[in-house]
Amino acid sequence: MTSPRIRVAAYVIRAGRELLVFDHVGMPEAGTQIPAGGVEEGEGLREAVLREVAEETGLRTAVVVRELATEDKPHPTTGEPRRTVFFRLEVPGDTPDAWVHEVSGDGGDAGLLFACRFLRLPLEEPLVDDQHVWLDL
């Protein structure tokens, strides 16, 4: 059996009541998501989640509060095994409401534009790939 790809996902919370999400500019079929991605070789999980938030949203003010859950679930399109560790992070209350960020790093998303924004909790609509399921922890 193939070992799962190890990933991290970030619930970035502002003012205790808003969740950071993003949409791919020009790709509505990708759905509304939270920052998430693979852990690099030799990288710790907390380090990885902060890197993913910075790469996908440009935010460098996020602070890890705690690890919430670990989910073993295959990739929604490829079916490849993956293990995702979900974290709660917080950002200052003066973080902007919305912005567009060009994805950095050397991953497959590099160069894409993500429209970032905060949504009030509880969410009115589910996130893509059921990324919202661990929010209540």
Side-chain angles (χ1 to χ4, degrees), residues 68-80:
L68 295 174
T70 300
E71 175 183 81
D72 288 305
K73 182 178 176 182
H75 188 278
T77 55
T78 67
E80 292 293 317

Side-chain angles (χ1 to χ4, degrees), residues 10-63:
Y11 293 135
V12 180
I13 306 295
R14 181 178 73 172
R17 63 186 184 277
E18 298 170 313
L19 175 69
L20 176 64
V21 299
F22 67 83
D23 294 288
H24 289 70
V25 173
M27 296 173 54
E29 66 278 6
T32 301
Q33 305 176 37
I34 59 172
V39 176
E40 296 175 356
E41 189 173 332
E43 186 177 40
L45 295 175
R46 287 174 178 250
E47 182 183 7
V49 76
L50 289 170
R51 177 185 49 75
E52 285 294 334
V53 168
E55 286 178 0
E56 294 186 353
T57 70
L59 286 179
R60 299 192 183 282
T61 57
V63 175

